[in-house]
Amino acid sequence: MIRISSQQVFSSGINRLQELNSNLNNTQQQISTGKRVNKPSDDPVAAARILKLDQELTRVKTYERNVNLADNRLKQEENTLTSAIDVIQRIRELTVQAGNGALSPNDRKSISSEMKERLGQLANIGNTRDSSGEYIFSGFQGSVQAFQKNAEGKYEYHGDEGQRVLEIDDGVTVPISDNGKGIFVNVPAAVTGQFDGPAPAGESISGVKVVNEADLVAAFPNGFPNDITLQVDNSVPPQVLAFDDSTTPPRPLPVSPADYEDGGVFVVAGIEASIAGATPGSPDTFTLKVGEKQSVFGTIENLIAGLDAINKGTPEGQAEYDDLIAQSLVNLDNAQESFILKQTELGGRMNAIESTKSFLADSSVYTNEIRSQLQDVDYAEAISNLSFQSFVLQAAQQSFAQVSQLSLFDRL
């Protein structure tokens, strides 16, 4: 016969009531929080998986912030370049207008005045800042103003050639900036002609322009030369000689027509030019500058200076003015092309960002679904359990109240 003391009865009853009450409280907590797992002891395996899923969601949210930042930066740069293209287009229209031979000096000065305003507008565009106050075209030196005037009043680039990148997924990075040197400064320039040294009176080269790009490429299959040297020999009749100075010894280039005619037009390697006032057999040389770079600011500054200073009253001045207009139009077109090419590149980056953004969104949805399956409570089941546990607790309490009265002291 087993003897059960009153202490055992009370201890066992209280422990059972506490266990039932704890289960009831856990179910109430699940219903109130909506979570099946509120602490690791609720389901150790599920808790470990939920922790890993939380870490994955944190990773995804971090990359989503980076994706939004990259998208905003690239959209700002794209909009800025669109504004720059609009300014260049207006300056090009003014340049075409300035080429009208019927314009008076005052008309040209009026055009020059508007160009000065447009130049300042373009500089402001080049010095655009992002939401954090950094200059977007200064490379790594975001605190440095990209384009500043030097002592001569001409714009110079003061940033560096750095390009910032941002990680938008594991092992996936995207450039989120472009330095102004590559966009505004290193712009392909029109082919120009110049006299080597101080030019004698009446001796000049003009009308320099590329008339056949294919011939130029064919003449230099390994890339454009730094320059082409021209001379007029003393043969009968005098001949125009052309040399590629990028080789040793200089490589002769064919000239068509080869006979020199004062002020006559000839073509060498797809480049058209005209030499006037040359002395046959003299050591005088001319250089065709090919493959040069020209800042878009420098192009506009030279154009403004020419409009203000060139005297069209002489044949030399007229030729110089015509060359200025023609070369400026080529340089402005090249600047526009530089901006458009960069916009195309930005579009490719934004497409990559959009794809990554969609992938991260899908990953977040999938991870949240798995996490929900592991952690979220089934309300119907939980409420049913709560009702049952409440009934059991009430029955246990009533039973304990009856058992607790079975004591000899109650019969005394």
Side-chain angles (χ1 to χ4, degrees):
M1 181 178 181
I2 299 176
R3 295 183 179 181
I4 300 176
S5 65
S6 297
Q7 181 179 0
Q8 287 177 309
V9 171
F10 276 89
S11 178
S12 176
I14 291 174
N15 289 339
R16 178 57 178 164
L17 290 177
Q18 287 178 339
E19 179 183 351
L20 294 174
N21 191 58
S22 177
N23 292 338
L24 182 63
N25 288 338
N26 287 339
T27 304
Q28 288 176 328
Q29 185 179 19
Q30 289 177 347
I31 294 174
S32 62
T33 61
K35 297 179 180 180
R36 184 180 68 85
V37 181
N38 288 286
K39 54 184 182 294
S41 59
D42 293 339
D43 189 336
V45 175
R49 293 190 62 191
I50 290 170
L51 179 61
K52 290 183 178 180
L53 292 172
D54 286 340
Q55 292 173 346
E56 173 65 15
L57 287 173
T58 301
R59 184 192 70 84
V60 170
K61 288 180 181 178
T62 300
Y63 284 136
E64 285 179 334
R65 286 194 296 267
N66 287 355
V67 163
N68 291 332
L69 173 60
D71 191 47
N72 291 336
R73 285 291 298 265
L74 294 182
K75 284 181 179 177
Q76 181 184 21
E77 183 176 343
E78 183 185 37
N79 292 335
T80 301
L81 291 178
T82 298
S83 299
I85 291 173
D86 293 340
V87 173
I88 294 298
Q89 181 59 36
R90 177 54 185 165
I91 293 176
R92 194 187 190 284
E93 293 171 359
L94 293 172
T95 304
V96 173
Q97 184 180 348
N100 186 344
L103 293 180
S104 67
N106 287 334
D107 292 334
R108 294 198 301 271
K109 287 188 179 295
S110 297
I111 294 174
S112 171
S113 296
E114 182 176 348
M115 283 189 178
K116 291 175 184 176
E117 294 297 325
R118 296 293 181 175
L119 177 62
Q121 183 181 358
L122 185 62
N124 290 334
I125 291 173
N127 289 323
T128 299
R129 302 189 188 197
D130 61 15
S131 57
S132 61
E134 293 192 335
Y135 295 96
I136 66 174
F137 293 118
S138 290
F140 293 137
Q141 302 184 43
S143 60
V144 177
Q145 184 173 315
F147 298 97
Q148 304 176 30
K149 286 186 176 181
N150 59 17
E152 299 177 356
K154 296 182 178 181
Y155 285 101
E156 291 181 340
Y157 181 65
H158 284 258
D160 58 31
E161 299 182 40
Q163 185 180 54
R164 301 186 182 190
V165 297
L166 191 64
E167 188 175 20
I168 57 175
D169 200 0
D170 290 338
V172 180
T173 59
V174 62
I176 61 170
S177 71
D178 295 280
N179 63 78
K181 186 174 182 179
I183 301 175
F184 294 87
V185 179
N186 291 337
V187 179
V191 177
T192 60
Q194 65 182 33
F195 186 86
D196 295 337
E203 193 165 355
S204 64
I205 182 171
S206 61
V208 178
K209 60 182 178 181
V210 177
V211 293
N212 194 319
E213 186 81 23
D215 286 350
L216 181 58
V217 173
F220 302 96
N222 296 324
F224 288 164
N226 292 327
D227 51 54
I228 298 174
T229 300
L230 302 175
Q231 285 183 306
V232 178
D233 68 7
N234 58 357
S235 61
V236 181
Q239 302 282 304
V240 178
L241 305 179
F243 301 93
D244 172 15
D245 284 348
S246 63
T247 63
T248 305
R251 175 170 62 99
L253 298 172
V255 180
S256 178
D259 293 346
Y260 170 69
E261 180 183 350
D262 189 20
V265 176
F266 59 88
V267 177
V268 53
I271 302 172
E272 184 179 274
S274 175
I275 295 177
T279 302
S282 71
D284 297 342
T285 60
F286 300 86
T287 298
L288 298 178
K289 307 297 291 184
V290 186
E292 299 291 308
K293 301 294 184 180
Q294 172 72 55
S295 165
V296 63
F297 295 102
T299 294
I300 301 171
E301 289 162 350
N302 293 339
L303 182 56
I304 292 172
L307 290 174
D308 291 339
I310 293 178
N311 180 12
K312 296 176 60 178
T314 64
E316 294 81 6
Q318 183 65 54
E320 181 183 1
Y321 186 83
D322 291 343
D323 283 349
L324 173 68
I325 297 298
Q327 291 167 6
S328 296
L329 288 174
V330 173
N331 290 339
L332 290 172
D333 288 343
N334 289 342
Q336 275 192 323
E337 184 177 358
S338 174
F339 296 155
I340 292 172
L341 287 175
K342 183 55 65 176
Q343 282 188 316
T344 303
E345 183 182 334
L346 292 175
R349 296 184 205 166
M350 286 190 285
N351 286 338
I353 288 174
E354 187 64 28
S355 298
T356 303
K357 186 176 183 179
S358 298
F359 172 77
L360 292 174
D362 292 342
S363 178
S364 179
V365 170
Y366 176 72
T367 303
N368 275 310
E369 286 179 354
I370 297 177
R371 185 175 179 274
S372 175
Q373 293 173 4
L374 292 172
Q375 188 175 53
D376 291 351
V377 69
D378 183 342
Y379 279 100
E381 181 182 359
I383 292 174
S384 177
N385 288 338
L386 180 66
S387 177
F388 176 74
Q389 289 169 349
S390 297
F391 170 75
V392 172
L393 179 60
Q394 291 176 1
Q397 289 173 339
Q398 293 175 359
S399 174
F400 178 73
Q402 294 295 327
V403 172
S404 63
Q405 295 177 4
L406 299 179
S407 170
L408 292 176
F409 293 101
D410 293 330
R411 300 293 182 259
L412 296 178

